[in-house]
Amino acid sequence: MQTQPVPEHQGWASRRPTILARRMRAGIAVLLLAVTISGCAPSAVHVSQHDPDNLRPTACEQAWTRARQSERLQKDQADTRAQAWVQAARECPARLDEATVHAAQALAASQGGQASRQTATLRLVQAAQRLDPLAKALPVELADQAITGEDRSGFALSVLAARRTDAAWMLTLADAHTAAAQILVGHAKHDPRQGVYPTTDLLAHPDECTDPANGIQTPTPALIEMDTARTLLAVGRKLNGSSGTIRTDASQNAKSHQQATSALVDMIVAHMSMAMNLGYPATSSTLLQTPKR
């Protein structure tokens, strides 16, 4: 018997479910592939093409990472650690307190004895001599605060030195404070220095006193240095403001801005490391609490 051919329209009808199923499976496969691709590559391509800065750490992040990594260095490399934290303080104004403390602690860990005191004093003297860029950047209120803080400390140290027979180093330190105040006042609109300050508490506790910020017992000269550092830190916070950078005059270029930042950081670290050298506890967790005056 000869088989009758199936009409064309009947053949398509009989094969249509199979063809539709194949097309649906192919479509699903393509859709799944598209979803898989969209979940991986396009985001990376988009970022690298249109927003490359999102992939790069900021100068602050880079400096902070290097400083944290430097903590793994040996004790005899403490100066390297200190410099790494100084750079972090310069690049990360919003973390000025923490970075300067770490820098001063690294310096304190690398030094000891009379030679250390001479080194710490020299650091402070040199930092004071480099304050001119900062003086140019300070608005009136903050200039008054920094100038008075340095001048008061210089006066207090000179009073203590007058009561001792072996205090040549203390007079040098007092002179460094006085010189810092003089440089800072060079660009100020007026001179807030009083020259003479109250001495009742100072004379009552010339050797050792209690830090009103945290109750720590510390040598009086050490507290004078730490208070000066806190004063400059307060100045730094107000300079930073909400933008996280020192606000300098519009006419100042990037180099001047960098110099002002460096001068502030170096002076703070010099005061802190001097305080630790004179006996202020370097490991205190309350190191930077603001004194209650």
Side-chain angles (χ1 to χ4, degrees), residues 108 113 116-117 120-121 124 157 164 169-170 173 177 207 218-226 270-281:
S116 170
R117 180 169 298 173
T121 303
L124 184 54
L157 287 166
R164 304 187 182 191
W169 64 269
M170 196 178 293
L173 197 57
H177 284 274
D207 300 316
T218 182
T220 302
L223 180 57
I224 292 172
E225 288 300 318
M226 187 55 67
H271 282 309
M272 284 187 183
S273 61
M274 190 75 237
M276 293 175 188
N277 180 271
L278 294 174
Y280 198 96

Side-chain angles (χ1 to χ4, degrees), residues 222-290:
L223 180 57
I224 292 172
E225 288 300 318
M226 187 55 67
D227 270 352
T228 314
R230 288 173 176 143
T231 297
L232 293 184
L233 279 168
V235 168
R237 294 186 205 104
K238 292 176 183 177
L239 276 173
N240 294 339
S242 59
S243 64
T245 58
I246 286 183
R247 297 194 298 270
T248 55
D249 187 88
S251 62
Q252 289 185 307
N253 56 29
K255 183 177 180 180
S256 297
H257 170 89
Q258 184 180 37
Q259 289 173 338
T261 304
S262 297
L264 176 64
V265 169
D266 291 348
M267 197 62 177
I268 292 171
V269 172
H271 282 309
M272 284 187 183
S273 61
M274 190 75 237
M276 293 175 188
N277 180 271
L278 294 174
Y280 198 96
T283 57
S284 172
S285 61
T286 55
L287 200 59
L288 293 174
Q289 290 186 12
T290 304

Side-chain angles (χ1 to χ4, degrees), residues 169-205:
W169 64 269
M170 196 178 293
L171 286 173
T172 302
L173 197 57
D175 288 345
H177 284 274
T178 303
Q182 179 63 43
I183 293 173
L184 290 171
V185 85
H187 294 277
K189 294 184 178 180
H190 68 101
D191 189 346
R193 292 175 294 179
Q194 300 177 26
V196 177
Y197 300 85
T199 59
T200 302
D201 291 341
L202 184 67
L203 296 178
H205 306 282

Side-chain angles (χ1 to χ4, degrees), residues 86-107:
V86 165
Q87 188 61 32
R90 292 170 178 169
E91 298 290 351
C92 306
R95 304 186 73 173
L96 181 66
D97 297 49
E98 185 180 355
T100 50
V101 167
H102 283 308
Q105 287 173 329
L107 291 174

